[in-house]
């Protein structure tokens, strides 16, 4: 199985800040990497697929990059509605696996 | 608009069985692969199982293989998860999830239901 390592597990930031979340995989997955946002009490929301492609309707302040084993999610100019937990997930091969999540909190 | 509504969760004793259902609407059901993803409240996400549009290819997480069975009814626009030999560690919120195409190995979780809570306890 492909292991996913996300860092940090949590971070504090202010509105307007730029934040970067890292996701590392235990083997190369090309760009088969997706990102999700989850707010408390809600189902996850699909943000980014193929490492860098924004799902329809996702604001352009979200961006993704990386290939192989190292990936990043960047949120430029954090907005109040961006405070949430973010998960990476590999779709290179089953079993499909997630990172443990990064909680973005208000400073 | 895609709508996925799970049902069938509840409190069940260890070793017993439970069947989850997911009623889907708002899209051409038999064009898409579907999955079950679970989440222990306050914890991370775990993919449980997925199947192709025609049930021709099915996959399971190792943690449930041999105990859980995913299936679908393309006439009734429904997805199911038969859970046998339940354990305490199966307690979680179970989400019904739609993929972006008919192949579950694409593995992009595009649309989610609100979840059905399963609690395994004596």
């Amino acid at each position: 199985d492909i292991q996913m390592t996300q860092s940090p597990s949590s971070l504090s930031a202010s509105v307007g800040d730029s934040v970067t979340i890292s996701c590392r995989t235990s083997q190369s997955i090309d760009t088969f990497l997706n990102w999700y946002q989850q707010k408390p009490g809600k189902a996850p929301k699909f943000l980014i697929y193929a490492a860098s492609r924004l799902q329809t309707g996702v604001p352009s302040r979200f961006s993704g990059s990386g290939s192989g084993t190292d990936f990043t999610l960047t949120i430029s100019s954090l907005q109040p509605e961006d405070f949430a937990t973010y998960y990476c997930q590999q779709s290179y091969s089953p079993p499909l696996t997630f990172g443990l999540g990064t909680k973005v909190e208000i400073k | 608009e895609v709508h996925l509504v799970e049902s069938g969760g509840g409190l069940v004793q260890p070793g017993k069985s439970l069947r989850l259902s997911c009623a889907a609407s708002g899209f051409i059901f038999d064009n898409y692969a579907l999955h079950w993803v679970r989440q222990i409240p306050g914890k991370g996400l775990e993919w449980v199982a997925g199947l192709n549009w025609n049930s021709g290819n099915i996959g399971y997480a190792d943690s449930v293989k041999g105990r859980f069975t995913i299936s679908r009814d393309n006439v009734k626009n429904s997805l199911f998860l038969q859970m046998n030999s339940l354990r305490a560690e199966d307690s979680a919120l179970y989400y019904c999830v739609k993929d972006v195409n008919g192949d579950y190995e694409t593995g992009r979780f595009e649309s989610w239901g609100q979840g059905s809570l399963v609690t395994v306890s004596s």
Side-chain angles (χ1 to χ4, degrees):
Chain A
D1 299 2
I2 297 174
Q3 309 304 313
M4 313 290 289
T5 303
Q6 258 185 266
S7 62
S9 57
S10 66
L11 64 90
S12 296
S14 301
V15 172
D17 286 351
S18 176
V19 300
T20 297
I21 298 168
S22 172
C23 180
R24 180 166 290 177
T25 58
S26 60
Q27 67 182 74
S28 178
I29 61 167
D30 193 0
T31 57
F32 289 88
L33 193 283
N34 309 306
W35 290 97
Y36 301 84
Q37 175 195 65
Q38 187 177 32
K39 297 181 180 180
K42 300 293 186 181
K45 175 185 175 182
F46 188 32
L47 288 182
I48 288 174
Y49 64 97
S52 62
R53 302 193 173 193
L54 260 60
Q55 176 68 348
T56 302
V58 173
S60 58
R61 63 181 179 273
F62 289 89
S63 63
S65 65
S67 66
T69 61
D70 290 292
F71 302 87
T72 58
L73 171 69
T74 299
I75 312 171
S76 62
S77 189
L78 266 175
Q79 297 301 298
E81 60 268 29
D82 300 336
F83 292 94
T85 299
Y86 294 85
Y87 294 93
C88 60
Q89 173 247 331
Q90 64 84 14
S91 51
Y92 182 77
S93 68
L96 308 168
T97 47
F98 290 88
L100 293 180
T102 296
K103 187 174 184 179
V104 177
E105 299 176 297
I106 301 174
K107 183 182 286 185
Chain B
E1 181 185 358
V2 172
H3 214 49
L4 301 165
V5 180
E6 303 91 340
S7 60
L11 175 64
V12 61
Q13 293 179 329
K16 300 295 188 181
S17 299
L18 204 60
R19 188 189 196 213
L20 301 183
S21 300
C22 172
S25 61
F27 63 100
I28 301 173
F29 186 78
D30 57 7
N31 279 6
Y32 293 93
L34 296 166
H35 306 263
W36 289 100
V37 174
R38 68 185 180 184
Q39 183 173 38
I40 297 171
K43 301 297 184 182
L45 300 163
E46 180 186 19
W47 175 77
V48 173
L51 80 172
N52 278 13
W53 67 276
N54 64 352
S55 306
N57 191 17
I58 295 175
Y60 296 95
D62 290 344
S63 57
V64 306
K65 201 173 293 183
R67 300 187 299 123
F68 289 13
T69 302
I70 187 173
S71 62
R72 64 190 294 163
D73 183 333
N74 285 352
V75 173
K76 296 183 178 179
N77 287 8
S78 295
L79 176 71
F80 305 101
L81 185 67
Q82 178 66 43
M83 303 184 292
N84 298 333
S85 303
L86 281 161
R87 306 167 180 167
E89 54 265 35
D90 295 319
S91 297
L93 186 64
Y94 284 74
Y95 291 105
C96 170
V97 184
K98 172 187 168 292
D99 210 313
V100 298
N101 62 29
D103 180 5
Y104 93 86
E105 293 188 15
T106 300
R108 294 177 184 171
F109 305 129
E110 181 180 54
S111 301
W112 300 63
Q114 286 307 301
S116 183
L117 185 63
V118 172
T119 303
V120 184
S121 174
S122 54

